[in-house]
Amino acid sequence: MGIAKRLEEFLDASGLPYEIRTHPRSVYSAQTARRSHVPLDQLAKPVLLADEYGYVLALVPATKRIDLDRLGAQLHRQLELASETEIDGLFRDCEPGALPGLGQPYEIPTVYDDALRDLREVYFEAGGHGEVVRMRGADYLELLSNALHGAFSQCPDSSSRPEHASAYS
């Protein structure tokens, strides 16, 4: 598919350098990192959350999962995972089930976990199941300069981890 059109336009307008890397089709973050030869802790995993007030795109390292209670407390919201139908409706220029690693091109409020702040390089999905965007960590944070951030991720508990759940994979 290539990079999602709105994401590409947003990145191009920023003037910041980025690179698109293709990889064999993947359906969850750990598989994406493996197939694109990207360190799992450098892959920013997007998770779409929803509540009665709307949507939030949360970004965490792919090695971690979102602590919904902690994030909800920080935002004063009762967030839960959005459905595949909601994802597909909001991100129409993306492949079904795929999320881009930035919410701003889609006017979706974005929050990122502080664990992403010190990375030299960041990779994130480009809106398809076969591409990732590579950027310098500082440039990625510049794109997120208007986003809220905080400590809301945790290492997954392997004993209760669903094999392919989007908030965990």
Side-chain angles (χ1 to χ4, degrees):
M1 176 199 132
I3 186 170
K5 189 70 173 159
R6 288 175 79 171
L7 179 61
E8 182 178 37
E9 289 170 356
F10 180 80
L11 290 172
D12 288 346
S14 77
L16 297 169
Y18 68 93
E19 170 188 329
I20 303 297
R21 289 189 174 180
T22 61
H23 59 82
R25 183 176 171 75
S26 62
V27 292
Y28 56 95
S29 296
Q31 189 179 55
T32 298
R34 195 169 42 255
R35 291 186 176 177
S36 60
H37 306 285
V38 168
L40 192 57
D41 63 343
Q42 291 181 352
L43 181 66
K45 174 177 66 176
V47 179
L48 186 65
L49 305 171
D51 69 3
E52 63 195 47
Y53 302 108
Y55 297 99
V56 173
L57 186 70
L59 303 167
V60 296
T63 53
K64 299 191 177 212
R65 69 178 185 88
I66 294 172
D67 181 329
L68 284 174
D69 292 333
R70 185 182 300 163
L71 179 57
Q74 290 174 12
L75 298 177
H76 307 290
R77 295 175 70 170
Q78 295 289 326
L79 296 163
E80 58 186 40
L81 292 174
S83 71
E84 292 288 326
T85 302
E86 291 172 296
I87 291 170
D88 294 344
L90 290 170
F91 301 98
R92 294 184 183 274
D93 65 339
C94 296
E95 284 186 57
L99 283 169
L102 292 167
Q104 299 92 317
Y106 301 88
E107 299 179 8
I108 307 270
T110 302
V111 298
Y112 68 92
D113 189 80
D114 287 340
L116 295 171
R117 294 179 84 178
D118 296 323
L119 297 177
R120 288 186 58 225
E121 285 188 328
V122 174
Y123 299 82
F124 58 92
E125 296 181 32
H129 296 287
E131 303 83 24
V132 292
V133 176
R134 177 188 160 273
M135 293 187 84
R136 287 187 32 228
D139 292 341
Y140 187 62
L141 290 178
E142 185 174 327
L143 294 176
L144 294 170
S145 64
N146 292 325
L148 296 175
H149 61 91
F152 56 84
S153 69
Q154 61 186 21
C155 292
D157 175 10
S158 60
S159 64
S160 64
R161 181 176 171 238
E163 187 59 31
H164 300 294
S166 62
Y168 296 87
S169 305

